[in-house]
Amino acid sequence: MKREFYTSPKPGIIMRMLWKAAGADGYILKKSTYSDQVKYACLGGIVVATGFMAALAGGYAIYTIFEPKGSALDGGTHTQTAIMASIFGIIWGLIIFNIDRFIVAATGKGDGTEAITWGEFVNSVPRIIMGLVIAITISKPMEIRMFKSEIDAELHQEQLKKRKEYEIATKANYDSRFESINEEINKIDTDRNDLIERIKKAEQEYTMQLQGKYGTAGNGPLSKALKEQLDNLEIKLNQYDSKHQSELERLNNEKLKLNEELDKELAKNEKVASGLDGLLERIKLAHEIAGTWITFFITLLFVVIELTPIFFKMMLIKSPYDFMGDNIQELLKAENGIQIKYDYYKDKEGHERDLIISHLAEKKIDEKIALMKAQTELSNYIIERWKEKEKMNIDKNIENYISEY
């Protein structure tokens, strides 16, 4: 129907999609004022924006959790993890979008005035709590992304510190084992060095005797005795080396294996220190870096974005869209035989209650009762006629009935 006093603007496809996001009735909005159309398009825009931010936050959180761990300063993107995180982010964004759409669509307009009464607020508490949870869930991944550079630098220092602590602890565990092996090697080396010192001393005495420093020079009886002593010491050294060679090889091999084992443990420590790069650690560092107030206001920003549609709908004044919606609801009720008498009676607690009359249902019940009543009457009539017929047969042939009974 074309109006002479006002023509409703024709909405575009984007506006109609935003209406759907807000859970509004596009059929009614097409016939309503431009103001109503814009209001519900804005509500839908907030719901879409929340879903988009949830997709980004969820995807980034999953990527942070499952990305390969390493130094916090290592750059690059792991493709496989990025694909998985993107898929999850889209699914998570759709989930939050659907929840937000339900919250906005299910939030009524209260008393239809700009003021938010206590009763309206109390009725909206469950939706507000859901909105708060969603807002906090979105804000934390976005927060750690905002301070990524600062968090990476701080996290790198934490990784180096942890790695140093792990190295000290690991080396302390191996010190006693190295000390035991070194003691055995040192004991063998000490005994061997004693023999070498004795050989050096015997060589010196033998040389000095040949030179005549202890008497007559030349290879006399004393020189021969010193030479024999020197030869015996060299024999003992060779025997000592032969005797302890296998033991030294075993100890050196054990020490070598222990060094290799220590290197492996230190490599594991580096991996463990790199594993410090997790979502929880980044959130903790974000709070330390940003401080309480900045963190609070970032979270508050997302809370405001999330809860704006709920409070906005409670503050809306009833408009042509609302009255037309109420009218269509009443027409649908009338078409289906539903009558509501508002504040018809008081319950036991004194609260006003509505009386809901379903005329079609009552009509069906009345028809069913009338049908059952008619069937009962017909059944009674049939029985009475049958009784009359049987009485006539008895009067005519009473002998037959007596023999039967």
Side-chain angles (χ1 to χ4, degrees):
M1 182 179 68
K2 187 175 181 180
R3 308 186 194 97
E4 294 181 359
F5 62 90
Y6 183 78
T7 302
S8 300
K10 185 178 180 181
I13 185 170
I14 295 178
M15 181 171 280
R16 293 199 301 271
M17 291 175 66
L18 292 177
W19 290 348
K20 288 183 178 295
D25 192 327
Y27 174 80
I28 301 175
L29 281 172
K30 288 178 182 178
K31 301 176 180 297
S32 188
T33 61
Y34 182 70
S35 175
D36 284 336
Q37 293 179 357
V38 171
K39 281 189 291 188
Y40 284 94
C42 291
L43 279 176
I46 295 174
V47 174
V48 172
T50 305
F52 179 73
M53 288 188 296
L56 292 178
Y60 183 71
I62 289 297
Y63 182 82
T64 304
I65 293 171
F66 291 103
E67 69 173 330
K69 304 305 177 186
S71 173
L73 298 180
D74 289 344
T77 302
H78 191 255
T79 305
Q80 186 176 355
T81 308
I83 293 172
M84 179 186 68
S86 299
I87 294 172
F88 176 84
I90 292 171
I91 295 173
W92 182 248
L94 291 174
I95 291 173
I96 299 301
F97 168 78
N98 194 46
I99 293 174
D100 271 348
R101 187 168 181 260
F102 167 76
I103 292 173
V104 172
T107 302
K109 299 178 187 61
D111 55 7
T113 62
E114 291 183 350
I116 300 176
T117 62
W118 177 249
E120 290 176 322
F121 179 79
V122 171
N123 291 334
S124 298
V125 165
R127 299 181 183 89
I128 292 172
I129 293 174
M130 291 173 65
L132 285 172
V133 172
I134 293 172
I136 294 172
T137 303
I138 295 173
S139 68
K140 293 309 170 185
M142 299 298 287
E143 183 180 340
I144 64 176
R145 186 63 186 87
M146 290 178 186
F147 303 108
K148 186 178 185 305
S149 299
E150 294 84 354
I151 292 172
D152 286 345
E154 188 67 26
L155 192 58
H156 181 63
Q157 295 300 320
E158 288 291 327
Q159 287 177 334
L160 293 177
K161 182 180 176 181
K162 283 293 182 183
R163 182 179 175 183
K164 190 64 178 178
E165 291 175 359
Y166 291 150
E167 285 181 1
I168 294 172
T170 301
K171 288 180 179 178
N173 292 334
Y174 282 84
D175 282 346
S176 59
R177 298 168 66 182
F178 276 112
E179 186 177 349
S180 176
I181 294 173
N182 289 331
E183 283 179 359
E184 295 185 42
I185 294 175
N186 290 336
K187 186 177 182 304
I188 295 172
D189 288 341
T190 301
D191 293 341
R192 188 175 186 278
N193 290 332
D194 289 342
L195 279 173
I196 292 173
E197 288 298 324
R198 291 171 62 188
I199 290 172
K200 288 180 179 179
K201 186 175 180 182
E203 284 180 344
Q204 186 178 7
E205 290 178 353
Y206 175 66
T207 302
M208 291 176 68
Q209 177 59 37
L210 289 175
Q211 293 174 354
K213 291 185 179 181
Y214 295 116
T216 305
N219 192 13
L222 183 57
S223 298
K224 291 179 180 180
L226 292 174
K227 176 62 174 170
E228 185 178 353
Q229 183 183 359
L230 178 60
D231 293 340
N232 290 334
L233 289 173
E234 289 179 347
I235 291 170
K236 283 184 179 181
L237 179 60
N238 292 331
Q239 290 175 347
Y240 186 87
D241 288 340
S242 299
K243 180 180 178 181
H244 293 87
Q245 182 179 1
S246 59
E247 187 175 359
L248 278 172
E249 289 178 357
R250 178 183 64 80
L251 291 172
N252 286 323
N253 287 333
E254 286 185 7
K255 191 174 181 180
L256 182 62
K257 289 180 181 178
L258 203 58
N259 276 315
E260 292 176 354
E261 187 177 337
L262 176 60
D263 290 338
K264 289 180 181 178
E265 289 299 320
L266 291 176
K268 289 181 182 178
N269 290 341
E270 184 177 356
K271 186 176 181 180
V272 172
S274 298
L276 191 66
D277 184 9
L279 182 64
L280 179 60
E281 190 66 25
R282 286 182 173 272
I283 291 174
K284 287 167 57 179
L285 287 174
H287 289 178
E288 294 175 5
I289 293 169
T292 304
W293 285 108
I294 295 178
T295 300
F296 172 75
F297 280 110
I298 291 173
T299 305
L300 183 63
L301 172 63
F302 286 95
V303 169
V304 169
I305 294 173
E306 181 66 31
L307 298 186
T308 293
I310 299 174
F311 288 102
F312 182 67
K313 287 199 74 175
M314 287 190 290
M315 295 168 61
L316 283 177
I317 299 174
K318 279 199 170 185
S319 61
Y321 170 80
D322 303 303
F323 292 114
M324 284 190 289
D326 293 340
N327 186 46
I328 288 176
Q329 289 181 13
E330 294 299 325
L331 289 172
L332 290 173
K333 291 176 193 174
E335 184 181 356
N336 291 278
I338 299 171
Q339 180 184 3
I340 300 178
K341 295 183 178 180
Y342 297 97
D343 300 332
Y344 188 79
Y345 67 97
K346 292 184 178 181
D347 59 14
K348 294 180 180 179
E349 297 178 356
H351 297 145
E352 296 287 345
R353 298 295 181 184
D354 300 333
L355 176 64
I356 301 174
I357 304 173
S358 301
H359 290 287
L360 289 179
E362 289 188 357
K363 179 183 176 184
K364 288 288 184 183
I365 292 172
D366 292 341
E367 289 175 353
K368 196 71 175 177
I369 292 173
L371 178 62
M372 293 176 67
K373 185 176 180 181
Q375 288 176 341
T376 302
E377 291 177 356
L378 290 173
S379 297
N380 292 334
Y381 178 74
I382 291 170
I383 292 171
E384 289 297 327
R385 293 298 304 271
W386 178 80
K387 286 169 64 177
E388 291 176 1
K389 183 178 179 182
E390 287 297 312
K391 286 179 180 180
M392 292 176 61
N393 291 334
I394 290 171
D395 292 337
K396 292 179 180 179
N397 303 294
I398 191 169
E399 292 82 2
N400 293 336
Y401 282 93
I402 292 174
S403 61
E404 289 179 4
Y405 294 102

